[in-house]
Amino acid sequence: MPENDDFLIEQFPLAPVDDYLIHQTPDPVRVAYTTDPRFFERHWNVFHDQAGELLVVTGGSIYPNLDTMEAFAIVTHKGVQRSVRAFRRIGQDRSNIHAGPIKPSIVSGLRHWHHSLEENDWGIRYELDWYDTHRQMYRASHSSLTKGELPGSQRHVTSGFESFGEVAGWVEFDGKRIELPRHLGRGTRDRHWGIGRGVGGPKYQANGKAPKAGWIGGNWIQFQDFAIWGNIVLYRYGDARTGYGKVIKTERRIRFEDNTKLMCEAEIDYTLDSGEIKRVHFSKLGQQTAFMKCGLYGGSPNGVFQGEYVGDDIVEGDKYDLNDPQNRIALAGLNEHHCVIRCGDEISTGILQPLEPDAYEACVRGDKGWAFF
């Protein structure tokens, strides 16, 4: 079926996905279970080499009750970050997750995606295949019904699954192509949906203030015998351990750049539900960071928040030299740092994602679990 079918509007609210035997309510799939404007569906992905030269982050979100969709692609190579963002109306076909030049496709659910970034004004392109290697498990987290900022309102809930995997393909920028073979391409992803914190910017927040992109941030690290995604432990397909494990305590010790207050080195102790303590050392690889402001987390550099309508079929982007500390300060927020990671005798690379400069301020205050390294 063509990507844009003008006749579908005649069939509202039916959509092509309704032809599949997948309904969970009496409503068509285009109709969300809640009228809350913050309801979202999202995919997020980070890909990286093992040399510390190439980092790619991409994702996209659909907001059915706002009839908006957005997608972003960030490529950082040797400390230079290029970004593309695209916006459009959802229309009738929620199964179409393309936006502008950003065109991911699900090849095989829970196993294989293809990510394509086509020609654009910011000089970056890629064709990348993602292969899941770790067991995805459904889970959900709920905010309190009694302690929300707006009593009686729908609680925040994020549900979905996460994974680690391998990636292969190529990335181009300014006419230069870098090949990423599967044995060197690594990364992680998630598929989340629910009532999103911060969706729509200040006008959908109870206090009317610009929302922050989280607090504790994230960490995505995989070694031969275990992988940690946030506060859970994921296992490879076929592992004798069932389900997933949990991190029950996290003790962070972080060293920061003097001029920017951004992380440059860290040591984290993860206490697992098995009783094991995994001590992992992180050392940032140069200025190989994806600043997620450029992916709309906490508001873009030009002030656009996730879920905000900016116009039909809009494509924008930017380029920053991260070797300039002033650029790092200006972009600081939720930041994904590509790091060399070490646990015992095993060395690999992974991602540490603090919210900055909040992480520095937590260490200054001596908050529980936060200290200087």
Side-chain angles (χ1 to χ4, degrees):
M1 192 185 78
E3 194 169 294
N4 296 304
D5 183 341
D6 292 336
F7 299 113
L8 284 174
I9 194 64
E10 301 173 4
Q11 298 176 264
F12 181 86
L14 286 177
V17 71
D18 283 304
D19 225 357
Y20 293 84
L21 281 66
I22 61 173
H23 294 84
Q24 298 295 307
T25 75
D27 298 316
V29 175
R30 175 64 179 81
V31 179
Y33 81 103
T34 173
T35 57
D36 194 311
R38 300 166 299 170
F39 179 75
F40 75 99
E41 289 259 12
R42 179 172 297 148
H43 68 92
W44 164 90
N45 319 262
V46 57
F47 314 131
H48 56 83
D49 62 11
Q50 291 288 74
E53 295 185 350
L54 182 65
L55 176 65
V56 178
V57 184
T58 184
S61 301
I62 288 175
Y63 308 92
N65 296 330
L66 298 174
D67 193 21
T68 61
M69 178 184 178
E70 72 218 11
F72 70 89
I74 300 172
V75 175
T76 302
H77 179 256
K78 293 186 176 180
V80 177
Q81 176 181 291
R82 299 165 173 86
S83 307
V84 177
R85 295 176 291 276
F87 308 84
R88 67 171 176 86
R89 293 294 192 185
I90 298 173
Q92 290 307 99
D93 189 1
R94 279 181 62 182
S95 67
N96 174 15
I97 55 176
H98 296 179
I102 304 169
K103 296 185 175 181
S105 302
I106 303 170
V107 180
S108 179
L110 301 181
R111 296 295 182 269
H112 180 193
W113 282 49
H114 181 76
H115 290 270
S116 178
L117 176 60
E118 297 182 345
E119 292 283 355
N120 56 79
D121 292 340
W122 290 271
I124 51 176
R125 296 174 57 213
Y126 54 66
E127 296 289 341
L128 295 167
D129 281 286
W130 165 265
Y131 304 94
D132 293 281
T133 58
H134 286 63
R135 179 192 305 140
Q136 303 98 330
M137 297 294 294
Y138 172 82
R139 65 191 187 109
S141 59
H142 303 263
S143 64
S144 172
L145 277 173
T146 60
K147 297 180 180 179
E149 288 190 24
L150 199 60
S153 66
Q154 175 68 48
R155 61 182 173 180
H156 297 161
V157 54
T158 297
S159 60
F161 58 85
E162 304 86 11
S163 181
F164 289 91
E166 300 170 347
V167 62
W170 54 264
V171 179
E172 282 187 357
F173 49 89
D174 297 336
K176 178 182 178 180
R177 177 172 292 193
I178 296 179
E179 300 285 345
L180 189 60
R182 184 169 173 176
H183 71 283
L184 294 179
R186 295 288 183 271
T188 187
R189 75 176 182 108
D190 69 38
R191 267 286 290 116
H192 289 155
W193 57 89
I195 306 297
R197 178 189 64 244
V199 168
K203 66 181 178 181
Y204 288 121
Q205 310 312 306
N207 59 12
K209 296 181 179 179
K212 284 190 175 184
W215 154 228
I216 294 176
N219 38 224
W220 303 294
I221 55 175
Q222 59 171 311
F223 294 96
Q224 285 299 316
D225 192 49
F226 73 99
I228 294 177
W229 203 107
N231 63 348
I232 64 171
V233 183
L234 294 177
Y235 309 123
R236 294 180 184 272
Y237 297 133
D239 195 292
R241 293 167 290 188
T242 59
Y244 62 86
K246 294 183 179 180
V247 176
I248 60 175
K249 183 180 179 182
T250 304
E251 296 285 339
R252 303 169 180 84
R253 296 172 293 280
I254 307 175
R255 179 172 292 120
F256 299 88
E257 297 175 342
D258 291 335
N259 52 354
T260 67
K261 310 308 182 191
L262 302 185
M263 169 266 170
C264 60
E265 187 180 10
E267 186 176 75
I268 302 180
D269 290 339
Y270 301 94
T271 302
L272 311 185
D273 55 2
S274 64
E276 296 177 275
I277 298 177
K278 301 290 188 181
R279 174 167 291 181
V280 179
H281 182 269
F282 297 78
S283 182
K284 188 172 72 169
L285 286 155
Q287 297 302 335
Q288 280 302 101
T289 297
F291 286 87
M292 297 304 292
K293 268 191 177 182
C294 297
L296 306 177
Y297 286 76
S300 71
N302 58 343
V304 178
F305 288 86
Q306 291 173 329
E308 280 196 301
Y309 174 68
V310 297
D312 293 345
D313 303 318
I314 301 296
V315 180
E316 63 180 30
D318 41 52
K319 177 181 177 181
Y320 294 96
D321 183 354
L322 304 181
N323 298 295
D324 182 343
Q326 293 306 310
N327 285 337
R328 301 199 296 278
I329 292 172
L331 294 174
L334 201 63
N335 310 321
E336 299 180 355
H337 302 301
H338 189 192
C339 300
V340 173
I341 57 174
R342 184 178 71 247
C343 183
D345 295 330
E346 190 175 350
I347 299 175
S348 185
T349 71
I351 304 294
L352 185 60
Q353 180 207 60
L355 184 66
E356 295 168 315
D358 300 57
Y360 174 82
E361 294 165 357
C363 292
V364 170
R365 294 191 301 265
D367 290 355
K368 185 177 180 180
W370 297 81
F372 287 111
F373 185 38

